[in-house]
Amino acid sequence: MVAPLHLLFIRTLLTHSFLLCVSSSLVLPKCLLNHSHRNCNGRFGAPQTKLGSSVDVSEATTATAVLDHDEHYHVRAPPNMVPLSQPPLLLLQSSTPIISKEGCSLLSQYFDHLTNNNGGSGDAYQFDKTKMHMAQKLLCSIHDVIDKVTNCPRHDKEKQIPRYVRYDSTLIDGEERSSILDSKGFGDTLLPDGLHVDTNNGKLFRHISAILYLTDNQDGFSMDCGGDRRSNDNGTMLKDDIFVAGGGTTFPVAIPIGEKRMQECTNNVQDAAKSLLERDLQHTKGDVDENAASDGRILEKACLDAFHRDVAKDLNDRYRDCFSEAQPTVGVRVMPEAGKLIYFHNVDDGGMPDPNSFHGGEELISILAKQQQHDDINNMAGHQKSVSKTKTILVFFKEIPYTAFIDRDGFAELAEKSRSWTKEMYY
């Protein structure tokens, strides 16, 4: 593992300046520009300035006036970041949403608008100048909250525009259901992109990732799907109900807070994750061996087991037979709650990609329950939820600036300090 990752580290360092020149041609909101003097308590070696000091005054005044007029678009720093996993993986979630559902909707529409204008998919939204200002100002404020909770203010050597990801649900119906809901088929449907670590594609300086959820996605029945109501032979009303599952972000190697380590299961999954990185594979799809005992398939199967574990309480007997029984498993599965933020460290104390940070984003699966007894579903107390059939997220990346160190040991020292701060602050 050491030799190829060292070479990749050096190559990344040498080419980083060129990539920055290319990325500088992007059009960014002014409040996201010129953050080269921000630092993490001085540990990146740059003088501190006040947050937001580089915001264009005229632009900020207009946006702030609109935001102050509508409290729905304020950003609130969470009272605390709550640990979701035991070390070595440092994974945390905000105790409360940092933005409202209205703010989440605005950002989803904003990025759908940008995607549509760039020729991508997404609904066409017309944005006037005021709404553009509102969305951009909201985005800048979110950056400030992430800077604060991670203790790593942004700088101009890291990507300022978050990655926007939209998932639209896949409908499984009739004969398709029986063919897809086997272990292999369903795994490919739920996790079509596999799992990865966020230091992939040469991003070795990317030491923290943050995900802001813009939708509510919980495993449960969608009762307002508009199915046809009809009667069976006994006069009982029936309906084409939909069970919406998936949408979680799963960390299969993580040990949940408060749970004992299941040594055999933990070692098996951890060994697979370490083996992938030793082979310089930072994505499970890079392991082309389809054998169930291969490293990539072991990690993907651990994710599927975590899904089965969590949805079992929401499945009735009709569906329970469609899913394979989950094996004893570890892993943390984070379900989206609109406005909530999670963040995690991508590198270990030695500054190398952390095998515990392998994670995957689930697709949304809508399973049509034809001929389901409507009264029986209504009697399933606690199982009816208001579930979204769309999932949208924003992904932010924190990078240690390459100007703050001269070699891998220097990078490792800064990464370890960042991890130590997180542990001291929240654990």
Side-chain angles (χ1 to χ4, degrees), residues 243-263:
F243 181 84
V244 180
T249 307
T250 304
F251 298 80
V253 193
I255 308 294
I257 291 292
E259 289 194 12
K260 294 182 179 180
R261 295 173 182 266
M262 291 171 280
Q263 198 64 40

Side-chain angles (χ1 to χ4, degrees), residues 112-323:
D112 279 336
H113 168 75
L114 295 181
T115 302
N116 187 68
N117 284 349
N118 288 331
S121 62
D123 298 326
Y125 294 98
Q126 295 301 318
F127 262 58
D128 58 24
K129 187 174 182 180
T130 299
K131 292 188 72 175
M132 293 288 286
H133 279 311
M134 290 169 64
Q136 291 176 355
K137 182 64 178 179
L138 186 61
L139 188 59
C140 293
S141 298
I142 291 168
H143 268 288
D144 287 338
V145 169
I146 294 174
D147 293 349
K148 179 179 180 180
V149 300
T150 63
N151 195 41
C152 292
R154 61 195 180 278
H155 51 84
D156 59 6
K157 295 177 178 61
E158 67 184 9
K159 185 177 180 180
Q160 304 297 339
I161 299 298
R163 177 183 298 166
Y164 175 67
V165 185
R166 175 179 175 136
Y167 301 79
D168 293 308
S169 65
T170 299
L171 181 64
I172 300 175
D173 183 18
E175 294 180 0
E176 184 183 24
R177 182 169 66 231
S178 60
S179 63
I180 287 182
L181 292 183
D182 64 276
S183 179
K184 178 65 168 64
F186 188 70
D188 291 341
T189 302
L190 187 69
L191 292 164
D193 298 324
L195 294 91
H196 64 279
V197 290
D198 280 341
T199 52
N200 60 354
N201 299 322
K203 302 295 185 181
L204 295 184
F205 308 150
R206 186 184 285 169
H207 69 127
I208 288 176
S209 298
I211 300 175
L212 177 65
Y213 296 107
L214 302 180
T215 49
D216 288 307
N217 302 101
Q218 300 294 322
D219 301 310
F221 281 98
S222 175
M223 303 300 296
D224 56 350
C225 58
D228 295 331
R229 293 181 178 273
R230 56 197 180 281
S231 300
N232 64 7
D233 293 338
N234 297 322
T236 302
M237 293 302 296
L238 303 173
K239 185 181 177 182
D240 289 352
D241 296 291
I242 292 181
F243 181 84
V244 180
T249 307
T250 304
F251 298 80
V253 193
I255 308 294
I257 291 292
E259 289 194 12
K260 294 182 179 180
R261 295 173 182 266
M262 291 171 280
Q263 198 64 40
E264 182 178 354
C265 176
T266 304
N267 289 346
N268 188 35
V269 179
Q270 283 184 336
D271 289 347
K274 291 177 181 178
S275 178
L276 284 174
L277 293 182
E278 287 172 354
R279 295 158 56 196
D280 201 19
L281 297 176
Q282 302 196 23
H283 200 295
T284 58
K285 293 302 182 184
D287 186 357
V288 297
D289 186 354
E290 291 299 324
N291 188 294
S294 66
D295 298 325
R297 306 300 80 76
I298 288 174
L299 281 182
E300 291 167 0
K301 177 61 164 56
C303 276
L304 193 58
D305 284 342
F307 169 83
H308 290 148
R309 174 197 67 198
D310 289 355
V311 303
K313 59 182 178 295
D314 285 317
L315 297 174
N316 64 0
D317 290 338
R318 173 190 292 269
Y319 289 114
R320 199 182 307 278
D321 294 337
C322 295
F323 295 93

Side-chain angles (χ1 to χ4, degrees), residues 18 33 35 37 51 68 152 161 194 218 222 297 326 371 410 421:
F18 170 75
L33 296 174
H35 291 284
H37 297 299
L51 291 179
D68 287 342
C152 292
I161 299 298
Q218 300 294 322
S222 175
R297 306 300 80 76
Q371 302 295 325
W421 184 89

Side-chain angles (χ1 to χ4, degrees), residues 74-76 97-101 103-104 107 138 142 212 214 338-339:
H74 287 174
V75 178
R76 303 175 290 272
I98 67 170
I99 61 174
S100 66
K101 294 183 185 295
C104 291
L107 289 177
L138 186 61
I142 291 168
L212 177 65
L214 302 180

